[in-house]
DNA sequence: CTTGACCTTGCCGCAACGTCAGGGTTTCTA
DNA sequence: TAGAAACCCTGACGTTGCGGCAAGGTCAAG
């Protein structure tokens, strides 16, 4: 047999046969004077085993190992972990399809696909063209992608649905060109601090170190005007104090 | 933010971020004087969308396309065919796992994993150390791999389980060194022809052309001694005559 | 004599990065 | 103040299982 014949017989391509030679799965057979490979029935049988094994999903390396120890000992073992691997893949695909199905039933927000929980939150939020609100949404999406926040979306619902919050956004927007010492900064920071729900306190602090790796915070603040940044700083400070008071009061929850 | 920070924030590696730059998914940001990339929140938001989309299983090319037309129009379409693709993959994995399960319940023949039908046939065959029988088994495995024969394994069951067939194999083995004109050749060919079941007639002929691509037949016959090859030739000839008689009798079954 | 169907070797391409190699920068620590 | 740790940079190769192409040589038929 020549290579095309053995390939057709077993149901693979000539190219694959040569590849198996190259990988050491199938020994190089004799050559005819013109250089053509000549295959025997024994080669075909071996090639057939290679095809069957690789069709089951074994990698060529695994196929080589299985063929090497001709007892069925290793085969059973490999097949076992192969099945486990396939089970894992199947589960993963199902997970992806679940997420896909969720995405396709609900209209997805313009920010792109996000977790269904956040999608509901964003849909519930009132429509606005506030620049600050847009940034907030972006940060929420970021947090969502980072896998962070799921747990306090609940706490945010009353906030985002509250039309009163829109006026706070408006006041922030008004500071888009203001300096850090603008007189409106202080009162706005107080007003914002007042509406931040308890749940956020858990999210922000996280000990002594910066909650976000420094550069991230800097990047966020760089999008703000000096006045807006100052408001942010003040709110963060106030939240830090609130947290400290709370932890000293309730104390040793997780002494670790 | 530097690259490591944005990567950690969004949950990918720095290498992936650079890769997305290279692929044109994420625009190259400004550099600091030392050459470091500096990222903004906007970059992080975009990177987050990339991660989400690619996690759903979109290829980077698809991600780029989806990001390009910022309406959700194309996205829905892509998600649709993605789901179809995943469904296909899931079905394929299930098929492989089914085959695996079959293999692992029954003890598998030393020839390696074969179709369950053939596995049953091989297990039913009596134990023997006849060289000819071994070759027969090999050819059956080959046929099985080629997807050929499933249909007449049934017909072979009575043959392979018949201990009387062992004596035929023995007589073939005795011709391992014999010449083509050995007197035992003729009678043995007749005996063999007599036991070949009807069902095989459908498998062998298949029209005028050689049933197997010439070189394959040659390879099979090269494993035989001259006497054995002669027996094979005679049996094939007889089968051909039988087939022709049958087709002229029942005739126009499939005039096409 | 010319197709056309084979065969040969060898090398690039793919998808989404991981992983060096071989440098420079910044920052913490002794 | 020096050295080490932890970053950053570019560039290039490795992964998997072949497909496809280039640039030939071989062989049977028309």
């Amino acid at each position: 047999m020549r290579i095309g014949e053995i390939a057709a017989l077993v149901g693979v391509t000539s190219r694959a046969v040569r590849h198996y030679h190259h990988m050491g799965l199938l020994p190089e057979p004799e050559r005819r004077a013109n250089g053509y490979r000549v295959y025997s029935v024994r080669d075909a049988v071996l090639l057939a085993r290679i095809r069957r094994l690789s069709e089951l999903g074994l990698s060529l390396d695994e196929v080589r190992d299985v063929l090497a120890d001709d007892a069925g000992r290793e085969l059973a073992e490999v097949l076992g972990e192969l099945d486990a691997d396939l089970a894992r893949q199947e589960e993963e695909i199902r997970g992806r399809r679940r997420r896909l199905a969720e995405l396709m039933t609900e209209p997805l927000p313009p920010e792109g696909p996000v977790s269904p929980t956040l999608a509901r939150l964003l849909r519930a939020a009132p429509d606005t063209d506030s620049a600050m609100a847009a940034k907030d949404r972006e940060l929420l999406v970021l947090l969502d992608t980072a896998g962070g926040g799921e747990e306090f979306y609940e706490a945010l619902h009353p906030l985002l649905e509250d039309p009163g919050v829109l006026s706070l956004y408006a006041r922030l927007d008004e500071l888009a060109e203001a300096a850090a010492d603008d007189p409106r900064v202080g009162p706005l920071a107080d007003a914002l601090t007042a509406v931040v729900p308890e749940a956020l306190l858990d999210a922000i602090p996280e000990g002594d170190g910066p909650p976000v790796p420094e550069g991230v915070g800097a990047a966020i603040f760089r999008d703000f005007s000096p006045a807006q940044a100052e408001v942010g700083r003040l709110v963060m400070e106030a939240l830090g104090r609130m947290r400290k008071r709370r932890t000293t009061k309730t104390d040793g929850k997780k002494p670790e």
Side-chain angles (χ1 to χ4, degrees), chain A:
Chain A
M1 274 182 288
R2 289 170 306 173
I3 195 169
E5 292 169 331
I6 195 180
L9 175 63
V10 174
V12 299
T13 67
S14 310
R15 186 64 182 78
V17 175
R18 279 191 280 259
H19 187 57
Y20 298 152
H21 287 320
H22 206 68
M23 298 288 101
L25 289 180
L26 193 62
E28 280 275 2
E30 308 268 294
R31 306 290 188 119
R32 273 172 28 200
N34 54 18
Y36 288 15
R37 296 178 179 82
V38 197
Y39 295 89
S40 68
V41 173
R42 199 110 24 239
D43 294 316
V45 170
L46 182 49
L47 179 57
R49 288 181 64 176
I50 294 175
R51 181 192 160 187
R52 285 190 176 285
L53 291 172
S54 91
E55 257 180 359
L56 282 175
L58 279 78
S59 74
L60 295 191
D61 281 353
E62 290 168 328
V63 170
R64 180 172 39 224
D65 293 350
V66 169
L67 291 180
D69 80 341
D70 37 34
R73 192 171 28 80
E74 173 152 24
L75 179 54
E77 180 186 331
V78 172
L79 292 189
E81 57 193 60
L82 177 59
D83 186 66
D85 195 49
L86 287 181
R88 209 179 36 68
Q89 284 183 43
E90 191 181 337
E91 208 30 67
E92 193 200 321
I93 288 186
R94 266 218 280 276
R96 292 220 298 244
R97 292 193 66 195
R98 261 199 306 277
R99 267 170 282 161
L100 266 179
E102 286 170 353
L103 284 184
M104 300 186 68
T105 54
E106 317 189 358
L108 49 131
E111 283 87 355
V114 296
S115 73
T117 334
L118 179 57
R120 269 195 297 281
L121 182 64
L122 290 179
R123 266 208 316 283
D127 223 11
T128 172
D129 53 0
S130 157
M132 218 14 121
K135 282 177 192 162
D136 250 20
R137 292 171 68 105
E138 284 188 344
L139 292 182
L140 275 177
V141 171
L142 262 185
L143 199 69
D144 190 54
T145 306
E150 291 282 340
E151 61 236 11
F152 59 88
Y153 290 155
E154 277 310 311
L156 285 180
H157 259 283
L159 256 192
L160 284 211
E161 290 176 26
D162 180 2
V165 172
L166 286 185
S167 73
L168 292 176
Y169 277 133
R171 287 167 70 185
L172 273 168
D173 287 335
E174 286 166 13
L175 295 181
E177 307 287 336
D181 59 357
D182 190 286
R184 293 167 292 182
V185 163
L188 182 47
D190 291 344
L192 281 171
T193 307
V195 302
V196 167
E198 279 282 316
L200 260 189
L201 286 184
D202 298 328
I204 300 292
E206 194 59 55
D208 317 323
V212 288
E214 146 102 272
V216 177
I220 293 176
F221 275 50
R222 268 203 18 183
D223 272 1
F224 293 166
S225 73
Q228 290 170 334
E230 181 63 12
V231 170
R233 213 183 48 75
L234 289 176
V235 170
M236 286 308 216
E237 234 179 64
L239 289 183
R241 280 197 304 275
M242 284 175 62
R243 178 186 60 87
K244 204 166 295 174
R245 271 205 307 281
R246 208 188 44 163
T247 42
T248 46
K249 217 177 294 177
T250 57
D251 214 334
K253 201 66 167 293
K254 279 181 181 174
E256 181 70 14

